[in-house]
Amino acid sequence: MRLVRKIISPLLVLILVGIMFASGCINTNFPSLSYTESTSVVPYTHNDTLRYKIPPVNDFAFLLYHHLPKKEDNIFLSPYSILTALAMLYEGAEGTTRNEMREVLNLPEDDLERREEFRYLILRINNPASDAYILRTASALWIQKDYSIKEDYIDVIRRYYFADVRELDFSEDPEGSRKTINEWVERQTERKIANLIPPGAIDEFTRLVITNAIYFKANWSSKFEPENTYNETFTLTSGEKIKVEMMHQVNSFNYMETEEFQALEMPYKDNRLSMLIILPKENDISVLEEKLTSEFVENILSSMKVEKVEVVIPKFSFEKSYILNDVLQEMGIREAFTNKADFSGIAEDKLMISVVVHKTFIRVAESGTEAAAATGVGMTVAAPSSKEHPKVFRADHPFIFLIRDRETGAVLFIGRLMDPRG
């Protein structure tokens, strides 16, 4: 293995990180949204071009979800984080490598259009109109000291993706470099993602590491009261019944149902972000997974109306780590992982992807969860008459959930809860 790596060195190591975090004791005294010296996001102005147009985050989200090994496990990832980091890499791809990446990522072929789309989305995410929640992202390029990266590539990454560019000495101090990058990730994610890069993942042949982090924290618009949380039964797909903490409330939310499933949209404070929960009526989540596309979700959202709903959902917390090499190759990004890779837009030397790592964390509790966009109409429209029996949304078996940015429509996080115990 060492011999092979010497033959194809230097290597490109691509590291991704996505985080979503919500505490059970969230308060509104959030830390300020000031950025560290490693971020370069500038204030958004309404004169920006291509307003209301974003990269194809949602299509990529569902494509990636369908290619993940399912098993009987919880799933949680940030398609925004992964797509952004891959798009930064795509900026330096040429030939077949570029064509494969563009087809899988569904990126606009026009350079300016693509870059402006990412620029707009990054600016919107990092410059919220409210201080009621935290939503921020950060990107960085970590380059081998004295290694020649093309200035045009660096200019694009800085201008449109707002990435910081730093030098590290991978050749002489791979372990120290690994720790430096991990410390950056921890700072960007409020210490919720630790040791993203495991020992040995960076060595003397590493020439470039790309990182992207996303962090969100918010309260529900309508909180669950802790005294209304009880130990109740949650039925796994196997039929096994377990006891978990289930949260209860009755309020007005966007809601819809069919013969196969129910859907509920729960906004976070200020209503820009929301969690959309899609619950199969029978304990068979595969019925929903087969339908899961951008069009399916948009149809759900457009069919919703404000209803008085009795909501019962579990508290849960878990973290996930993914090595996405095989998944991305199965999706069609193949050449980038071989010594035929063409990233000549980054450097003259031969570069290839060594590893793609994605790590996430989520906690859902009475006070809040992470970001997602929703209409929030249920919080602003008068509730139906108290004589009307509320709809019952009891999520006591596996379900799919999305966290969306209502303003842009982007799916920032997507997940599947199979077992609330983690």
Side-chain angles (χ1 to χ4, degrees), residues 178-189:
R178 182 184 73 88
K179 290 181 179 179
T180 297
I181 296 174
N182 281 345
E183 288 171 0
W184 179 90
V185 170
E186 288 190 31
R187 289 197 303 273
Q188 301 303 325
T189 60

Side-chain angles (χ1 to χ4, degrees), residues 28-274:
T28 54
N29 296 318
F30 294 131
S32 68
L33 295 180
S34 59
Y35 298 101
T36 68
E37 71 282 2
S38 62
T39 54
S40 311
V41 175
V42 298
Y44 170 79
T45 67
H46 290 285
N47 294 322
D48 272 10
T49 60
L50 295 179
R51 285 179 294 168
Y52 312 119
K53 188 172 184 181
I54 65 168
V57 177
N58 297 0
D59 290 339
F60 178 74
F62 301 120
L63 179 63
L64 179 62
Y65 183 93
H66 284 300
H67 280 83
L68 288 175
K70 295 299 187 294
K71 302 180 182 179
E72 295 297 325
D73 202 4
N74 293 334
I75 290 174
F76 186 64
L77 50 85
S78 171
Y80 164 84
S81 178
I82 298 169
L83 181 64
T84 301
L86 289 175
M88 291 167 62
L89 180 61
Y90 172 81
E91 294 289 353
E94 301 291 349
T96 301
T97 302
R98 183 180 182 87
N99 293 336
E100 288 181 352
M101 294 186 73
R102 183 175 63 248
E103 183 173 347
V104 172
L105 305 179
N106 195 26
L107 297 175
E109 190 168 357
D110 181 82
D111 287 341
L112 181 59
E113 179 184 355
R114 178 184 65 257
R115 293 164 184 171
E116 288 286 4
E117 287 180 4
F118 275 97
R119 180 176 184 273
Y120 168 76
L121 182 57
I122 294 168
L123 286 172
R124 295 311 296 147
I125 288 176
N126 284 277
N127 291 275
S130 170
D131 60 358
Y133 57 86
I134 302 173
L135 176 60
R136 63 170 179 259
T137 72
S139 297
L141 297 184
W142 309 84
I143 303 170
Q144 166 62 36
K145 182 181 178 182
D146 298 326
Y147 186 70
S148 180
I149 297 290
K150 293 185 175 180
E151 285 298 324
D152 287 348
Y153 176 75
I154 292 178
D155 288 345
V156 166
I157 298 305
R158 279 176 166 159
R159 177 176 176 78
Y160 295 100
Y161 299 88
F162 305 100
D164 189 38
V165 179
R166 299 186 178 187
E167 286 190 346
L168 292 174
D169 198 344
F170 301 121
S171 297
E172 296 297 325
D173 188 15
E175 179 61 16
S177 299
R178 182 184 73 88
K179 290 181 179 179
T180 297
I181 296 174
N182 281 345
E183 288 171 0
W184 179 90
V185 170
E186 288 190 31
R187 289 197 303 273
Q188 301 303 325
T189 60
E190 300 293 332
R191 307 292 172 182
K192 294 302 179 292
I193 297 291
N195 299 315
L196 172 71
I197 308 176
I202 291 178
D203 62 19
E204 65 270 27
F205 301 111
T206 300
R207 292 298 176 266
L208 175 66
V209 174
I210 299 176
T211 51
N212 175 269
I214 179 169
Y215 178 81
F216 182 79
K217 181 176 181 179
N219 290 332
W220 299 114
S221 284
S222 175
K223 297 180 183 180
F224 294 86
E225 296 298 331
E227 58 266 29
N228 293 329
T229 297
Y230 314 105
N231 284 328
E232 297 181 77
T233 299
F234 186 97
T235 305
L236 306 180
T237 53
S238 65
E240 179 186 355
K241 297 183 183 300
I242 61 174
K243 290 294 184 180
V244 300
E245 291 184 287
M246 301 286 283
M247 306 180 294
H248 294 245
Q249 70 164 289
V250 178
N251 217 314
S252 295
F253 298 102
N254 280 339
Y255 173 86
M256 66 86 68
E257 67 177 289
T258 68
E259 292 181 355
E260 293 183 329
F261 67 88
Q262 296 172 279
L264 176 76
E265 186 179 44
M266 296 188 62
Y268 296 96
K269 194 170 182 180
D270 272 18
N271 296 324
R272 171 176 168 176
L273 303 153
S274 72

